[in-house]
Amino acid sequence: MQVFNIVWDVDPILVKLGSIELRYYGLLWGIGFLLALEFMTRLFKREKYPDEWIDKLFVYSIVSVVIGARIGHCFFYAWEYYSQHPLEIFKIWEGGLASHGGVFALILTMIWFSYKITKKSVWWLFDRMIPAVAIVAGCIRLGNLMNSEIFGYPTDLPWGFQFIQSQEWQSLYNAHGEALACHPTQIYEILYCLVAGITAWVMYRKYGLQRYVGLITGVSLIIFFGSRFALEFMKNPQVEKEISMVFNLGQQLSIPLILLGIYLIVTAKKRKEAFGVL
């Protein structure tokens, strides 16, 4: 018997001036990247690397993540529509970003960045970037919460949320006045981002495990995407075609990143800092 739940009735629009809207989601994306920039700036200064590295890293990261997340959403989740309306792909402001697309694009961009700028293994870079990545990911999931989107199935647990602002929740779980509370999977994802970021920082700062290039990244990938894989069992399908799937798209896209994490852990002792050793 459910004894308590949370009525989540937050307007996703923070400020509206005429046709211009400032949403919590976009604001939190910006805050996440600014916090990540501050973190990486301090870390690179501590290790005495050139200032221009961080400037270029910041620009390349933002561009690759946003473009990759948009393309990922269009290709993985709604290609039937966007293949017929290709110009709609550019309308990012209308919504539709996929985190896996952002991750894949970031990895490819950082391989290029490492080759051109740092001259070190891309995993050397990610071993230092993981806490910053966790900050951005956590802020994005907080943005999903403010949007009342990507929530889970109904639950009797005391921290279940009623997502009043969500049309999906209203149609699925309040259509007959039932007001069923659902898993706030956005918060669960914020928590694993926090765990991944803290774990990576402790491995780096306290134990100096960055000497095993790729180890921190490998452990972090397993925390991020192993948790994501498990949490997908709690989530409502994001697109209709997921209803009949054994593993949904989020889980399928997580598997190669989990396998990559295992590979990086197993091979960490053999890897060198010089670029060219993945």
Side-chain angles (χ1 to χ4, degrees):
M1 178 187 223
Q2 187 166 308
V3 296
F4 177 75
N5 57 61
I6 297 167
V7 177
W8 187 253
D9 192 14
V10 176
D11 189 336
I13 301 173
L14 177 60
V15 178
K16 186 171 184 177
L17 298 172
S19 61
I20 301 175
E21 296 178 349
L22 174 60
R23 290 177 171 261
Y24 287 103
Y25 184 72
L27 178 63
L28 286 162
W29 265 79
I31 290 173
F33 275 111
L34 289 175
L35 291 175
L37 172 64
E38 179 64 20
F39 175 87
M40 291 302 298
T41 298
R42 290 174 180 267
L43 187 147
F44 274 19
K45 284 184 177 179
R46 180 175 178 269
E47 294 196 354
K48 296 181 172 57
Y49 289 110
D51 291 340
E52 58 266 25
W53 282 17
I54 192 65
D55 296 332
K56 293 177 181 179
L57 179 65
F58 182 62
V59 173
Y60 294 161
S61 295
I62 290 179
V63 173
S64 64
V65 168
V66 172
I67 293 177
R70 179 58 176 173
I71 292 175
H73 168 77
C74 297
F75 184 77
F76 296 132
Y77 290 94
W79 185 241
E80 295 84 356
Y81 174 81
Y82 287 106
S83 63
Q84 301 300 315
H85 306 85
L87 293 180
E88 297 289 314
I89 294 174
F90 299 99
K91 295 183 178 181
I92 296 178
W93 58 89
E94 292 186 355
L97 299 171
S99 57
H100 287 92
V103 171
F104 292 134
L106 182 63
I107 290 174
L108 291 174
T109 302
M110 291 304 102
I111 290 174
W112 183 87
F113 180 87
S114 297
Y115 177 76
K116 296 292 290 187
I117 308 298
T118 70
K119 310 300 182 182
K120 298 176 182 291
S121 166
V122 67
W123 310 122
W124 175 93
L125 179 59
F126 271 114
D127 285 346
R128 288 152 176 79
M129 283 180 63
I130 290 297
V133 171
I135 290 169
V136 175
C139 285
I140 291 171
R141 287 309 180 216
L142 180 56
N144 293 138
L145 178 64
M146 303 306 286
N147 271 350
S148 296
E149 62 187 1
I150 316 180
F151 52 85
Y153 292 120
T155 177
D156 288 331
L157 293 171
W159 53 79
F161 274 48
Q162 295 178 13
F163 293 97
I164 305 300
Q165 295 280 335
S166 168
Q167 292 183 359
E168 181 184 11
W169 180 83
Q170 292 287 356
S171 64
L172 290 175
Y173 304 121
N174 198 32
H176 306 291
E178 298 173 297
L180 298 177
C182 297
H183 282 289
T185 48
Q186 312 96 326
I187 295 177
Y188 302 165
E189 296 199 62
I190 292 171
L191 292 176
Y192 75 61
C193 290
L194 183 64
V195 170
I198 291 174
T199 300
W201 182 242
V202 170
M203 291 175 71
Y204 168 85
R205 189 66 185 268
K206 185 173 182 179
Y207 297 104
L209 293 176
Q210 64 273 19
R211 65 185 180 274
Y212 301 116
V213 178
L215 177 63
I216 295 174
T217 303
V219 170
S220 301
L221 285 172
I222 291 175
I223 295 173
F224 275 122
F225 294 101
S227 301
R228 173 71 184 270
F229 187 93
L231 285 177
E232 290 295 324
F233 288 113
M234 297 183 183
K235 287 184 182 178
N236 289 279
Q238 292 191 49
V239 290
E240 187 176 353
K241 63 184 177 182
E242 288 187 325
I243 296 174
S244 60
M245 292 180 176
V246 176
F247 297 126
N248 66 25
L249 292 171
Q251 290 171 315
Q252 293 176 33
L253 293 169
S254 293
I255 290 172
L257 293 166
I258 294 170
L259 294 175
L260 175 60
I262 294 171
Y263 166 77
L264 291 174
I265 292 171
V266 171
T267 59
K269 288 186 177 181
K270 301 177 182 179
R271 196 170 292 106
K272 300 177 181 178
E273 289 188 0
F275 180 83
V277 183
L278 296 179

